[in-house]
Amino acid sequence: MTAVFLGIPTAPRGVGHLRGDESFPDAARNSLQNGQLRANLGHATSTIRGKRAAVVGEVADWAELREAGRAIKAATMARLDEHLIALEEQVTARGGTVHWARDANEANAIVTRLVQATGTDEVVKVKSMATQEIGLNEALEAAGIAAHETDLAELIVQLGEDKPSHILVPAIHKNRAEIREIFLRTMPGVDPELTDEPRHLAMAARAHLRERFLRARVAISGANFAVAETGTLAVVESEGNGRMCLTLPQTLITVMGIEKVVPTWRDLEVFLQLLPRSSTGERMNPYTSLWAGVTPGDGPQEFHLVLVDNGRTAVLADEVGREALHCIRCSACLNVCPVYERAGGHAYGSVYPGPIGAVLSPQLTGVQDNASLPYASSLCGACYDVCPVAIDIPSILVHLRAEHVEAQTRTTPEAVAFRALSKAMSSPRLWRLAQRAAGLGRFLARGRPTLPAALPPPASKWTRTRDLPTPPAETFTQAWAREHGG
């Protein structure tokens, strides 16, 4: 199967972990009540911001490098189908197998089938946003396959039966004491005297994971980039767990969004300079793993690449919104966003939180399924200023807000209310009747300057977050007639 679905106007929207059970305002309201969460986020994001600013300041041509990244991404998206087919050809020529998945369900079915074919009932995983997006762990669990996260922060989230709240640091909402409690409660054989010193916590995780690395027969990874001209996949990380997963098992399955492809090695060079400085505040990633297909006698002897659309083709069709596909998942926009720092990642209800999630998730699912996210921003522009590929997130947010307004049907309470108001304001007789009817609100106010918040639906949706002034005892027309006569 080749990338024949690219460019189809009716391409399927994304499914998986891209939408929450609550709207952003409701979820954020709950997060804002958690003082410990805000403290954890504030400390962590300020630390990362400082590190990033220091290493970016060392690069004299950072603006030019950033523009190069933007231009490469824009050119790649313009010919994405060609680059993907070239990637498939090169991976296949080097002994790998490429699979195409239209959505999360297809991707999960492909991966589950590949794991089952090996006869194993467990896999080790490298941190992967794509597998979180499609809900792969849950799909494997339903098939009786245990998926062991090996990234330290992902392990903390998994053992704590929690959800990631940050693209780069999934457990950013946890402090050391909370992590220690999770390890003591869930890790078999952990030292009961374990302290919350970072080194001791890391050693406990290392001992826990080493056994799984050595016995694993199948590993599942994501990919930061894929080079079309050579079929090379790239994973960058800081802990070494990725290197273990990519080299020790017999079978390696990589799940990658179709937008991660870059045309050439020279293009990859640009992003390997932009990504570490913007994400972890490092000059280069401690571990950069590159592989192409299968090498006899060295590393995994079976390699599968699963290319996932899951709504990306639909995003590509939007001339404004497609810029969100340029994202290299550095998380710099999260670390400077005042809304994210106060509300936290869980409030977004999607695997992609923060400013980039506010523009990417609604496009992957369709704006109506994530209608509150484009409004989860103050439009301050800090996200654009730090983005290493210059994604104009504020402009996309405004674009998506306009789409949401346009998509509102004529049967929504707001639309009905404004149509009724328009009709009343176009008729003097109806307007006078409406003013008299509004005067009844003074009985509900009972002398207060605003009406009570507990009005019956649908008015309660308005008064819950806004003050509705009590109607005046005398209208402007009545006051004019009284003072000026007639």
Side-chain angles (χ1 to χ4, degrees):
M1 179 179 179
T2 57
V4 294
F5 53 81
L6 285 171
I8 298 177
T10 56
R13 289 291 186 177
V15 295
H17 292 178
L18 291 169
R19 59 176 70 89
D21 297 327
E22 296 181 292
S23 67
F24 179 84
D26 291 334
R29 189 178 298 110
N30 294 331
S31 298
L32 288 170
Q33 296 172 359
N34 187 334
Q36 184 62 61
L37 169 67
R38 297 202 308 275
N40 294 346
L41 284 172
H43 173 73
T45 54
S46 63
T47 300
I48 299 172
R49 284 198 303 269
K51 291 179 62 179
R52 176 197 173 276
V55 295
V56 167
E58 298 172 351
V59 184
D61 62 345
W62 178 259
E64 291 78 10
L65 195 64
R66 184 179 185 236
E67 173 57 23
R70 185 207 63 77
I72 291 169
K73 279 292 186 178
T76 302
M77 293 303 109
R79 300 172 57 193
L80 183 58
D81 54 344
E82 298 175 26
H83 297 310
L84 287 172
I85 293 172
L87 175 66
E88 179 185 33
E89 292 173 351
Q90 292 300 321
V91 170
T92 302
R94 287 163 171 75
T97 303
V98 177
H99 310 262
W100 299 84
R102 292 176 183 268
D103 58 24
N105 295 329
E106 282 191 11
N108 288 333
I110 291 168
V111 176
T112 301
R113 185 173 67 250
L114 293 174
V115 175
Q116 290 173 331
T118 68
T120 189
D121 61 357
E122 65 175 353
V123 300
V124 288
K125 288 184 68 218
V126 187
K127 182 179 182 300
S128 164
M129 299 301 297
T131 60
Q132 291 176 21
E133 173 190 324
I134 64 177
L136 179 61
N137 285 11
E138 292 79 0
L140 292 174
E141 182 181 9
I145 301 168
H148 303 297
E149 297 289 352
T150 64
D151 174 84
L152 178 56
E154 290 286 2
L155 176 66
I156 294 166
V157 169
Q158 185 178 50
L159 293 179
E161 297 181 346
D162 201 352
K163 293 181 180 179
S165 65
H166 191 276
I167 290 176
L168 182 69
V169 193
I172 196 171
H173 56 289
K174 297 291 186 184
N175 60 32
R176 295 186 303 178
E178 292 170 317
I179 294 169
R180 172 183 176 273
E181 186 278 327
I182 291 172
F183 282 8
L184 288 173
R185 176 166 46 86
T186 60
M187 277 188 179
V190 71
D191 183 357
E193 301 300 320
L194 177 69
T195 71
D196 64 0
E197 287 297 314
R199 180 172 177 270
H200 294 161
L201 294 173
M203 290 175 64
R206 180 182 184 184
H208 175 78
L209 290 171
R210 184 55 60 95
E211 175 190 358
R212 286 156 177 76
F213 285 135
L214 294 176
R215 75 178 187 225
R217 294 160 54 190
V218 178
I220 297 174
S221 82
N224 293 99
F225 307 100
V227 183
E229 71 174 354
T230 59
T232 304
L233 281 296
V235 166
V236 296
E237 37 110 9
S238 301
E239 299 171 18
N241 62 300
R243 184 69 55 83
M244 301 283 276
C245 289
L246 298 171
T247 56
L248 292 178
Q250 289 296 303
T251 300
L252 173 61
I253 304 168
T254 297
V255 181
M256 186 187 90
I258 57 175
E259 81 281 14
K260 293 298 187 72
V261 67
V262 296
T264 69
W265 272 87
R266 291 299 300 272
D267 299 325
L268 180 63
E269 173 193 353
V270 172
F271 296 110
L272 290 184
Q273 295 177 74
L274 289 169
L275 180 56
R277 286 180 166 83
S278 294
S279 58
T280 55
E282 297 170 297
R283 296 178 182 87
M284 65 179 292
N285 292 100
Y287 294 88
T288 299
S289 300
L290 304 165
W291 74 98
V294 174
T295 302
D298 182 14
Q301 296 303 288
E302 187 177 348
F303 172 59
H304 298 271
L305 174 61
V306 182
L307 294 172
V308 181
D309 185 337
N310 204 38
R312 288 161 173 79
T313 300
V315 179
L316 195 63
D318 188 324
E319 292 185 3
V320 176
R322 70 176 60 151
E323 200 175 336
L325 295 178
H326 298 183
C327 177
I328 58 174
R329 308 293 191 268
C330 70
S331 76
C333 62
L334 280 70
N335 300 326
V336 299
C337 178
V339 176
Y340 173 85
E341 185 172 328
R342 288 156 181 79
H346 292 153
Y348 293 81
S350 167
V351 67
Y352 300 114
I356 189 61
V359 296
L360 184 58
S361 298
Q363 293 191 89
L364 291 175
T365 62
V367 175
Q368 293 309 303
D369 285 339
N370 265 312
S372 65
L373 287 188
Y375 300 92
S377 171
S378 65
L379 300 180
C380 68
C383 49
Y384 171 70
D385 292 339
V386 299
C387 177
V389 290
I391 300 172
D392 191 354
I393 293 177
S395 293
I396 302 175
L397 286 167
V398 173
H399 169 69
L400 294 178
R401 293 179 185 185
E403 276 195 3
H404 174 236
V405 172
E406 290 295 326
Q408 293 297 296
T409 67
R410 294 180 60 81
T411 58
T412 61
E414 185 178 31
V416 171
F418 275 106
R419 285 203 306 275
L421 184 61
S422 173
K423 189 175 182 64
M425 294 181 74
S426 62
S427 167
R429 185 179 64 85
L430 290 177
W431 181 242
R432 286 192 292 270
L433 289 174
Q435 287 179 316
R436 291 171 186 166
L440 297 175
R442 292 196 299 278
F443 294 102
L444 295 174
R446 296 180 180 179
R448 291 187 294 259
T450 60
L451 294 176
L455 290 179
S460 58
K461 290 187 176 181
W462 178 276
T463 57
R464 186 175 60 186
T465 56
R466 302 172 179 86
D467 289 332
L468 186 61
T470 299
E474 189 177 40
T475 69
F476 174 80
T477 303
Q478 291 170 336
W480 181 275
R482 175 174 52 78
E483 294 181 10
H484 298 279

